[in-house]
Amino acid sequence: QGAARSTHSRAQLRHMSHHIALASRPRIAPAPVRARSSAAPAQIRRALSGPGPRRNFTTARVAADAASASSSAADDAADDPYPGIDTNGVDLDEFERFVMSMQADFIADMEALDGSEDRKFGLDAWVRGEPGSGFGVTRVLEGGDVFEKAAANVSIIRGVLTPERAKAMSSRGRDCVDPAGGQPYSAAALSVVIHPKSPMVPTFRADVRRFTVAGTSWFGGGADLTPYYLFEEDAREFHSHWRRVCDAHDPTLEKVPAAKKKKEKVSDAKVLGAKREKKGFLAGLFGGGSVQGSTSDRNPETDEEAVSMTSGRLHEMCKRWCDDYFYIPARGEHRGVGGVFFDDLQSSDVPLAHDPAEVPTAKTPRRDHAPRATDAEAFTRAIAQHWTKSYRPIVNRRRVEPYGEEQMTWHQQRRGRYVEFNLLYDRGVRFGLDGGRVESIMVSAPPRVRWDYDAVPADGSPEAALVEVLRNPRDW
């Protein structure tokens, strides 16, 4: 009996130990259930359908956890459209989302155009001091196959106007701005600059921006070309492209279906020294249209004919404003061959001034002839959407041009003019340096520059031909 009791006690002890071990074993948390995950059920079914009567529940649990983690990552990506970027609590509006997506599209285009396998745009995301006051995204590529330096910078700002800025804005005809300051404002901007390695490929600069105070918004932007050696067909093609973009948004233009209008020949001696035919301007903006004449005037990305237009005042104004704005008074030279530039743009049905003498310039803006467009925001978006289209054909044409040490020296000397304009005259740079983020502002500077004393090109040289055009802008 004693032996039996002893055996029974040992059995009870083993049974109690077993229950204690089970109670102390850490529980495995059940896998979370995600209704949006379609992968998990299929993986679980595959794990449970193995051979033999015993199913591997451990494998099923691992499969479910992996599927859940994958689904969670996908959900996080969907919830965060700007990975790696802190928007600092700012609720982006439609135009601000546009500049963010446009930055991504443009750098993808430039990476493809550069063609380097190991040189891509880096990401430098930053925030302003207070939550909700804004953020920025600076993207820079350096040492590429074609581009020595390329940058695309986004700034989203929420702030309060200082008396100094309010007074300056009010003096430029913004009636809703209190010169005393103190009003909240919002600003959104995307600016890009491309500095190619070759002196035969021109520098490209462009931007779009919006400023809002008291419920009123003004738009600005543009695109311009700074060559180091003058290829006239590039200048003609570049200006022809932007003429079409402007004409599609010009309220002063008479738009007539091409099928109902006889083809007309118009004199354009300043551009081609001969007659050329204009057609297809409006359709040419978004995949159609062309300018007939020399092949250099034809945009390779637009070739359908749908609408014929007369010459537009919006382009005339934006072209002249670009020439006037990008001017270096100390040198008596323009920075490049121009393009288009506008500021303080609002939507209106009011026609633009038809007298060329009344076209506003950046030097002497006039309130009574402020720039107008049929839809200011749509026009501003179109400017950004055509940056790559206006620049890519020129890059592809000139990237194979040979050059030597003499051309590189001239290249860096002319880059010095670029820096001079930015630091001495550019309104955006001066505005930004007043409390802005210096690295993002100075990102537009070229990486290698020279200031050789009294560097004057020889008469009759290609360098002298460029300087002549910079001193006397042409209507390309």
Side-chain angles (χ1 to χ4, degrees):
Q1 287 180 343
R5 282 196 298 271
S6 176
T7 301
H8 179 68
S9 298
R10 286 195 297 272
Q12 284 182 319
L13 182 61
R14 285 196 301 272
H15 184 68
M16 291 174 62
S17 299
H18 177 68
H19 279 284
I20 291 171
L22 288 176
S24 62
R25 182 181 299 173
R27 293 179 177 273
I28 299 176
V33 178
R34 287 183 170 266
R36 283 179 286 184
S37 173
S38 59
Q43 288 179 298
I44 292 173
R45 284 194 296 272
R46 285 195 296 270
L48 295 178
S49 61
R54 298 183 64 182
R55 293 173 175 172
N56 191 339
F57 288 94
T58 302
T59 303
R61 177 63 51 81
V62 171
D65 289 344
S68 177
S70 176
S71 175
S72 179
D75 291 341
D76 290 342
D79 294 338
D80 183 10
Y82 312 116
I85 299 170
D86 181 1
T87 58
N88 198 22
V90 175
D91 186 15
L92 301 185
D93 63 27
E94 188 175 350
F95 184 77
E96 291 165 339
R97 289 192 293 272
F98 168 76
V99 298
M100 292 289 288
S101 64
M102 192 67 233
Q103 182 192 45
D105 291 345
F106 184 76
I107 65 174
D109 289 343
M110 292 303 103
E111 285 181 345
L113 187 56
D114 179 76
S116 174
E117 294 184 359
D118 58 345
R119 297 292 182 174
K120 306 297 179 182
F121 281 84
L123 171 63
D124 180 17
W126 47 274
V127 297
R128 285 165 59 86
E130 298 295 328
S133 64
F135 68 96
V137 185
T138 301
R139 307 293 304 268
V140 182
L141 179 152
E142 295 179 296
D145 290 350
V146 177
F147 304 137
E148 188 172 13
K149 183 181 180 182
N153 189 54
V154 164
S155 295
I156 307 293
I157 299 174
R158 303 284 190 271
V160 176
L161 285 177
T162 64
E164 293 78 15
R165 290 180 179 177
K167 184 177 180 180
M169 292 172 62
S170 178
S171 68
R172 288 165 53 204
R174 297 177 174 179
D175 295 332
C176 67
V177 176
D178 183 353
Q183 291 174 287
Y185 74 89
S186 67
L190 166 61
S191 59
V192 303
V193 62
I194 309 295
H195 290 294
K197 186 181 299 183
S198 167
M200 302 300 164
V201 183
T203 287
F204 177 79
R205 184 224 64 92
D207 75 312
V208 290
R209 55 195 180 277
R210 186 200 63 192
F211 202 96
T212 303
V213 178
T216 301
S217 295
W218 302 269
F219 294 86
D224 61 274
L225 203 65
T226 302
Y228 305 94
Y229 285 88
L230 181 63
F231 295 93
E232 293 196 6
E233 66 173 312
D234 295 347
R236 287 196 298 267
E237 180 182 277
F238 189 76
H239 283 275
S240 178
H241 185 105
W242 291 111
R243 183 180 296 111
R244 287 191 291 271
V245 175
C246 291
D247 284 352
H249 296 267
D250 191 333
T252 70
L253 281 173
E254 177 187 1
K255 302 172 179 63
V256 182
K260 297 181 180 180
K261 184 173 181 179
K262 186 179 180 180
K263 296 178 181 180
E264 298 177 354
K265 296 287 184 177
V266 295
S267 175
D268 198 359
K270 288 185 179 179
V271 179
L272 298 176
K275 292 183 178 180
R276 72 176 182 179
E277 182 180 0
K278 292 183 179 180
K279 44 186 174 175
F281 286 94
L282 181 60
L285 295 181
F286 307 103
S290 66
V291 177
Q292 304 297 329
S294 71
T295 56
S296 65
D297 250 344
R298 184 173 301 168
N299 189 309
E301 304 194 40
T302 60
D303 57 7
E304 296 178 8
E305 300 175 14
V307 175
S308 180
M309 296 183 179
T310 59
S311 179
R313 300 303 183 190
L314 181 59
H315 174 261
E316 178 185 1
M317 181 197 66
C318 290
K319 195 272 183 189
R320 177 175 168 180
W321 204 339
C322 188
D323 288 340
D324 284 344
Y325 184 81
F326 295 103
Y327 179 69
I328 309 172
R331 300 287 189 179
E333 299 173 358
H334 297 261
R335 193 178 70 178
V337 295
V340 290
F341 179 87
F342 62 95
D343 205 356
D344 295 344
L345 186 72
Q346 293 179 269
S347 298
S348 176
D349 293 329
V350 178
L352 295 164
H354 279 252
D355 182 355
E358 300 295 339
V359 174
T361 69
K363 296 177 183 176
T364 56
R366 296 181 50 140
R367 290 179 55 187
D368 55 339
H369 293 292
R372 305 280 182 174
T374 51
D375 185 329
E377 181 171 341
F379 176 57
T380 304
R381 288 175 181 243
I383 292 291
Q385 290 162 344
H386 279 258
W387 288 343
T388 298
K389 295 177 183 179
S390 69
Y391 186 52
R392 180 167 51 203
I394 298 172
V395 174
N396 284 332
R397 194 157 50 236
R398 302 303 165 201
R399 64 194 298 169
V400 296
E401 294 280 348
Y403 62 90
E405 191 63 32
E406 182 179 349
Q407 288 75 35
M408 284 301 302
T409 298
W410 174 251
H411 185 207
Q412 293 167 20
Q413 289 170 345
R414 295 307 307 177
R415 280 178 168 182
R417 299 289 200 269
Y418 197 96
V419 174
E420 288 175 14
F421 173 82
N422 279 11
L423 293 179
L424 297 176
Y425 306 108
D426 187 81
R427 193 167 64 219
V429 171
R430 293 166 63 187
F431 180 90
L433 290 176
D434 182 17
R437 189 172 186 266
V438 175
E439 282 299 315
S440 296
I441 296 164
M442 294 302 297
V443 75
S444 63
R448 293 182 296 161
V449 185
R450 295 176 67 121
W451 278 279
D452 296 314
Y453 181 74
D454 198 23
V456 178
D459 291 342
S461 66
E463 294 82 2
L466 173 70
V467 173
E468 173 61 24
V469 169
L470 300 182
R471 290 177 177 168
N472 301 284
R474 291 165 56 179
D475 292 328
W476 298 97

